[in-house]
Amino acid sequence: GGPVIIVGAGHGGYQVAASLRQAGFSERICLINDEAHLPYQRPPLSKAYIKGSAGPESLMFRPEKFYHDQKIELIAGRAVSIDRAGRKVLLASGEALPYGHLILATGARNRLLDLPNANLPDVKYLRILDESEALRQIMPSKTRVVVIGAGFIGLEFAATARIKGLEVDVLELAPRVMARAVTAEVSEYFQQRHREAGIRIHLGVQATSIEAADGKVTGVSLSDGRHLPADLVVVGVGVLPNIELAAEAGLPVAAGIIVDEYLATSDPDISAIGDCALFASPRFGGSLRLESVQNATDHARCVAARLTGDRKPYDGHPWFWSDQGDDKLQMAGLTTGYDRVVLRGDPANKAFSAFCYKGDKLLGIESVNRAGDHMFGRRLQAMDRSITPEQAADESFDLKSALA
Ligand code: FAD
């Protein structure tokens, strides 16, 4: 019993508070929020929000009244330490909040570029609303952007910048875009589509310095000796999980806050969820840290269920999406370790899916503009079923029959 204190009011933090109340939890809930906004959705920051003109309210999960009605105390501020013996969280303001259970939903922060001039105002990142807002506001006055990193966020931003009329160069150290996350077939498709849109993609290169004059960015130098002019640099080189609060409290951390299959840390009164959590996964083997809305919200629901008497190991089915220009990529499952890729549909028709197998086992499906295949993949996973590579490749095979 006792109050639940949640550190971090992002996707996971918001959801665990909402799910606790939904499940009838009646004690105090405090959601510690170090951003000066009501809890909001992050994915549009590099997509619809930066493209459009809707205000910050368009991103909020719920209006202020929701928190008031649900008696979820939104506490503005930062948690700076955990007193485990005294079961209290200390805030930067000096306030101490006693907890019965503590949930760490601290997410991740931008990995910063360690290059000369990387701290100039025209070098931007995209993790939080304030960063997206700042970028949206300066874009109309910019003509040439160099995007560092061809991951999801870098490419989503690059596509939007191009639509808005900027000259766009994308730098990527790996030999293909989104290399860690998707198959070569899907990388190839997106490289071609972005190039058709007029984006220059440079693979196998690194930025070595940012050039500036009078404090304004003038360009980026590359590891191959080239120099690209630019008046804006956007960095998307990944994130670092926020593990320090846990580590300083003596909780085990590695590439994330270490939790078991119930999402509990080594201290049974403290759980960790979402981007910051390195969780044991009986389904996938070993431990995983994922960065997705699905992962954060399903973690949140699992912990809320446990705290209201329904103790079950976490067994979510991963899925993800990315919107780049006119193309929608959707992924179901975890494809790590695949040894065979079967295409359904034709990339030339701008609609196809890559079914990833390890032996006969379907690990996951990457769909490009084929929402039906994606939904199929999610339902198939939930049923713990599979289809053969031959069936996957055969468009006359009715996917629905596999769900019957
Ligand atoms: P977050 O949402 O990052 O929330 C953590 C919060 O904790 C932050 O507000 C942080 O400031 C706060 N915090 C940290 N430390 C403290 C402290 N000590 N005290 C108080 N507060 C603290 N996922 C998808 O599935 N699909 C997408 O298309 C997609 N697009 C994305 C686009 C962008 C631009 C970004 C940045 C992410 C995107 N993601 C997407 C990833 C997804 O948003 C994250 O996986 C998700 O937000 C993780 O939720 P979380 O609650 O773990 O962390």
Side-chain angles (χ1 to χ4, degrees):
V4 168
I5 309 294
I6 305 160
V7 183
H11 279 265
Y14 158 75
Q15 186 64 54
V16 77
S19 294
L20 277 168
R21 284 291 183 243
Q22 219 170 359
F25 184 81
S26 58
E27 301 202 49
R28 186 179 192 199
I29 300 177
C30 298
L31 189 49
I32 305 173
N33 180 12
D34 72 346
E35 294 190 61
H37 302 281
L38 289 174
Y40 62 89
Q41 300 172 56
R42 236 171 260 293
L45 297 181
S46 51
K47 307 179 180 73
Y49 193 75
I50 205 144
K51 200 181 291 178
S53 56
E57 333 70 61
S58 66
L59 299 172
M60 305 312 172
F61 294 115
R62 299 293 186 124
E64 191 150 20
K65 183 174 184 304
F66 170 83
Y67 301 93
H68 179 81
D69 292 350
Q70 296 289 314
K71 296 195 168 52
I72 295 169
E73 295 173 46
L74 271 175
I75 297 183
R78 251 189 101 68
V80 291
S81 68
I82 304 167
D83 171 3
R84 285 170 55 195
R87 293 163 143 238
K88 282 185 299 227
V89 179
L90 196 72
L91 305 188
S93 64
E95 192 184 347
L97 293 172
Y99 63 81
H101 197 85
L102 175 65
I103 302 171
L104 302 174
T106 50
R109 61 180 180 274
N110 295 312
R111 200 157 78 77
L112 301 181
L113 206 60
D114 183 20
L115 286 183
N117 290 323
N119 52 4
L120 288 175
D122 290 333
V123 179
K124 299 290 189 194
Y125 293 82
L126 257 178
R127 175 80 199 176
I128 62 173
L129 175 49
D130 292 347
E131 290 168 333
S132 181
E133 185 68 52
L135 197 46
R136 184 164 87 165
Q137 287 188 12
I138 63 162
M139 268 166 70
S141 67
K142 302 295 177 189
T143 58
R144 258 195 104 135
V145 60
V146 170
V147 177
I148 302 183
F152 296 115
I153 291 172
L155 291 178
E156 288 175 0
F157 172 77
T160 300
R162 187 70 196 126
I163 290 166
K164 287 192 170 284
L166 277 76
E167 292 287 317
V168 183
D169 288 276
V170 177
L171 309 184
E172 172 56 52
L173 184 56
R176 58 184 177 89
V177 302
M178 302 179 281
R180 278 181 310 143
V182 302
T183 56
E185 286 80 354
V186 169
S187 292
E188 184 59 42
Y189 174 82
F190 277 94
Q191 280 161 206
Q192 193 181 327
R193 294 284 288 158
H194 289 305
R195 283 174 172 148
E196 282 164 12
I199 295 170
R200 288 173 293 265
I201 299 179
H202 311 271
L203 300 170
V205 290
Q206 220 174 341
T208 51
S209 72
I210 294 168
E211 272 79 58
D214 303 325
K216 285 188 181 304
V217 167
T218 58
V220 176
S221 290
L222 313 190
S223 49
D224 62 6
R226 278 183 300 159
H227 174 84
L228 301 172
D231 52 10
L232 176 64
V233 173
V234 172
V235 185
V237 295
V239 296
L240 300 171
N242 292 319
I243 61 174
E244 290 75 10
L245 196 60
E248 283 158 19
L251 297 169
V253 299
I257 302 169
I258 296 176
V259 291
D260 63 15
E261 65 268 39
Y262 295 92
L263 309 174
T265 66
S266 65
D267 180 335
D269 298 329
I270 306 179
S271 301
I273 61 172
D275 282 15
C276 70
L278 182 68
F279 62 99
S281 174
R283 173 175 295 268
F284 296 104
S287 45
L288 294 175
R289 192 181 70 77
L290 300 176
E291 295 163 7
S292 73
V293 167
Q294 173 279 321
N295 181 68
T297 50
D298 286 347
H299 274 181
R301 293 185 180 110
C302 176
V303 169
R306 167 157 54 85
L307 296 180
T308 50
D310 182 13
R311 181 181 157 87
K312 274 195 284 249
Y314 175 73
D315 189 26
H317 297 284
W319 60 268
F320 186 79
W321 77 97
S322 174
D323 301 328
Q324 301 180 22
D326 292 333
D327 293 306
K328 187 171 192 76
L329 169 65
Q330 294 169 292
M331 311 203 291
L334 279 189
T335 57
T336 325
Y338 67 87
D339 53 24
R340 180 168 175 196
V341 177
V342 177
L343 293 190
R344 186 175 179 88
D346 186 352
N349 297 333
K350 302 189 174 68
F352 69 102
S353 293
F355 284 65
C356 301
Y357 286 88
K358 181 170 187 172
D360 296 335
K361 191 174 188 280
L362 179 63
L363 300 180
I365 306 176
E366 299 167 354
S367 302
V368 179
N369 305 322
R370 291 213 14 158
D373 289 0
H374 173 69
M375 288 315 298
F376 164 78
R378 283 168 56 181
R379 291 179 59 194
L380 195 72
Q381 272 192 88
M383 298 169 85
D384 270 321
R385 290 200 195 158
S386 187
I387 60 171
T388 68
E390 293 68 30
Q391 290 169 331
D394 175 6
E395 287 214 67
S396 70
F397 172 77
D398 180 17
L399 296 179
K400 285 195 206 84
S401 68
L403 300 171

